[in-house]
Amino acid sequence: MSTKEIIAAINDRKYPQARQMIEKQIQAQPKNSGFVSMLCFVEFKQHNREAAIEAAKSAIALGISNVPILNSFICPVLSAYGEKALMNQAFEAATRREPATRQTAELWSEYGFDLSYTKAILRAQTALNKVASSKEAVLSCCLFMALERKAMNPADPEFKLYPMLACRLLDKARPITAPQHAYVEALVLEMTSKEKMAEYLLSPAVRAYDSLDLDVMLLNNLLELENWSEIFAYAQMQLSQLDSFNYWQALVKASVKLGKTEEFKQFAQGFKGHNVCIANIDFAIEQNMDPLPAVQTFWEKMGTKASAPQFIEPYLTQSVIDFLSTVSARSFTETVNIVKINYKWTKQADVAALVKLYNANLDQLPAEKTDYFIGDDLLLVAAVHILGGTDSDRFYKAALLLETAQANDPHQFYVRLWLVRIYRYLGAFEKAKDHFDALRIRHLQHESLGFLLTTRAGSLSPNRAITRHAIDIHSKANLTGTYAQSALGKGSFTQIPGMLDLAEKLRLSLSRILVEFEALKTERVLKGTVSLSDVFNRASEYIDNRDFKTSFDPCGVASHYCETGPRQGTEWVEAQIAKEKVYLGVLRGNTTQTPVSSLSSELTDQEKWNIEVVNSLGRGDFQWLAPPVNGDELSWEIFHTGYTLCETCKVVEDVFAKQKTNAPPQLKQAKKELLEVISTIQKAVQQQKYAKNVAKWASSLGIKQADRVLGSIQQSQLRSLSQLINALN
Amino acid sequence: MTSLLPFNAGDLLDCNAINLDVLTENYDISFYLEYMYYWPDLLFKSVSRTRNVGYMIGKSEGAGLEWHSHITAVTVDMEYRRLGLGRVLVDLLKLASEAPDQNCYFMDLYVRTSNRIAVDMYKLFGFAPFRRVVGYYGQGRDQDAFDMRMPLKRDPHRKSLIKGPHTYESSQNRYKYDKKSLS
């Protein structure tokens, strides 16, 4: 058989046949790195991660000098698994005997950017610089030496070598005439001496660039050096151009260190904004003085601004609270600010009083529809407070308050963010999706906010459209690495670290794999075709880009309210991958599977149950346990139980079908029993047992249209239940 | 306390409180990345402690006397409005536009003519309506825009505010320069 035949089998996705042919070739030519590389690729395609990596290591040890082999069989595997160091080793091995060609160096660089691996990019840029030197290529090498050194162990021999090498290289890039180039020179100088870096950044030639990057770099450099007299002068000079708090912070420190308190006070008098007010508070604290007078001045000037509670947060003390209790509010915004601060401090709220205050100020709704109504914050405080309580109707009451705020101020996104959470908790999934859609969450926002709708979506409200957007954004993840490469070519050096950072965050996205599992569960429940390959090809480390902090949460304790199960993380993902491996192994006839641990606190009871059933399939001694059903009230849990049961039954049926035996009768029985529970819950929803109480409560607070809101929640819940019943039947 | 810092790709995941605003457009990731690699010195953010509360995305373009910087997006978190952060971001772009590396003649921006609050705000910042761009906004291109300009140091005689042979006009747009159209 020829290499051509093997490649044809790989191209035709006949991997077992390809493997047989490759293994024969390896037996005949054990030192042929090409066949070992092909084996690596075939193992990868068959989801054998460890075997694929082992084959890659062997191929690298043998030395792969053929770049097409490297590019076709090794790089895609190591890239998919995120094996950065191994990838770099592969290229180093490939260029050991002969210097890299331009093609090899470019490929090396490309994969380096794909994996945000500065070491590989540096090696590739060095190789490229040797092949075709240019000013940009030289500066690129210098930039990556500096970036790479920041992550290095000082004991590494290159730690001492890079400063010298970079300085020498930089001479080839002179004259430095642009701020982007000066940024690289500053980084190079930083490697040799922070004093030299400061001297350079303070030089008239660099100051003339008027570059924000260089300004910020200089300030941080001076702070590291604790060069207080220079900071004192530099911060004042910068502040005379732009009011930026980082300079105030530095000036406060420098003034106190140098004992220039009078000079500071005199300088500060020339400023009016919020920054100087805060700087005065910090100045008092740095001098161990009572900050209250400065806080009072801050409040006098800024108390009517919506941001005042945010600014004052780090300085809250009982004496500040006492002071605020004496303030006679000059505007509705100031009243709301004081309410928010008090709530933050006491964690106590009088819901009736908040609603009354809201209703009394509805005449202040902004005329401009795109402006925000500060009164919304009152209902948000009330709703969050109710959600933190134990009242059994709390979700309905909070929803009523927030729907009231939303009706008056449709674009208030903090209100909608809470409504999405509450409605998902209550099983009113259509309503949750309506509010989510109204938030116009698009593009990259799906990465950080998509979890609001996609968390456990496959086992709460399986819907292909919900997971689609989130997956689409991830198809663009590699784009970021490509842009970073283009930025390097364009000499936009200051943007490179940020682009590499984003590329890494997207490549190792936890959101991404969570959504992929939801898509998989959705397909399984909706009886579509399930592909597991993507899940297995992901890297094993994850970065959590979910944004839990963009939420109205004055006390910082509400982010866990209304969650549909424990927050998922790496353990959850690992458990699901292990479970899928067991399932796939059983389908392939392998009955000696390692059981999946179901101990993680990131798993719900239903997910633990699902894993136990799959484990029994893996062991070859199928055991059917009754699925956990918690409570008889409607919440997300009944849906989670129902759809997890559907998914589990599908897995069991698949395995029994593969073994050409009938599915066990317990599956139907379990569905039947759950349908009975659901029927009871459905009747309770139809009767709206909670409605009378909640409507009475709303009426006592002067909240109108409670019946309409509660009715729409009920309708949405009933539709969700119908879908679940259909899935179980 | 708000600091002005460079805006980079890593910040894109940390702008939700700004971008959930109804008037703030969310673009495809490639849009932001293109700005970052073409105009790395013209993107800034405003940060309150560790929270991004506003940003400016600018670019520079044009030929000859039309060489200018353009405000593509300037936006501030709703809770941090009325503090003058928008103005500071504009001032920063002005400084960067006047820096030797850019050395622009003027700065410009487009705004809906119907958005009086924004038009008046930009006037306060130093911009003046230069021309009306007919049917620039809206799905049916039924809303006009003002092309507002602010002459910079390099244009001491404020020529950029006067239509002349150097004035660039896109063949896809219709422009009006008369006083009535600019009010």
Side-chain angles (χ1 to χ4, degrees), chain A residues 177-188:
Chain A
T177 51
Q180 290 294 323
H181 299 176
Y183 166 76
V184 177
E185 180 159 16
L187 286 177
V188 169

Side-chain angles (χ1 to χ4, degrees), chain A residues 103-125:
Chain A
Q103 187 202 5
T104 314
E106 280 174 353
L107 194 66
W108 196 349
S109 178
E110 201 176 296
Y111 277 108
F113 275 103
D114 264 3
L115 294 173
S116 312
Y117 192 35
T118 49
K119 188 173 182 173
I121 302 172
L122 170 59
R123 296 277 195 275
Q125 292 303 319

Side-chain angles (χ1 to χ4, degrees), chain A residues 180 208 242 244-246 274-275 305 307 310-311 314 371-372 440 442 448 476 490 492 495 547 549, chain B residues 1-4 6 14 16 21-22 25 27-28 30 36-38 41 49 78-80 82 92 100:
Chain A
Q180 290 294 323
L242 273 178
S244 181
F245 190 71
N246 47 347
H274 59 289
N275 280 337
K305 308 281 183 186
S307 50
Q310 303 279 359
F311 288 140
D371 211 347
Y372 292 86
R440 302 179 317 128
R442 294 170 65 190
S448 53
K476 297 192 173 173
K490 195 109 187 42
S492 298
Q495 294 290 350
D547 176 2
K549 63 180 195 295
Chain B
M1 63 287 269
T2 48
S3 298
L4 290 157
D14 198 17
N16 286 326
D21 172 56
V22 67
E25 191 56 69
Y27 298 101
D28 186 83
S30 55
M36 284 166 188
Y37 91 73
Y38 277 121
D41 302 313
R49 270 184 232 118
M78 64 144 164
E79 279 187 286
Y80 289 80
R82 296 181 182 87
L92 193 53

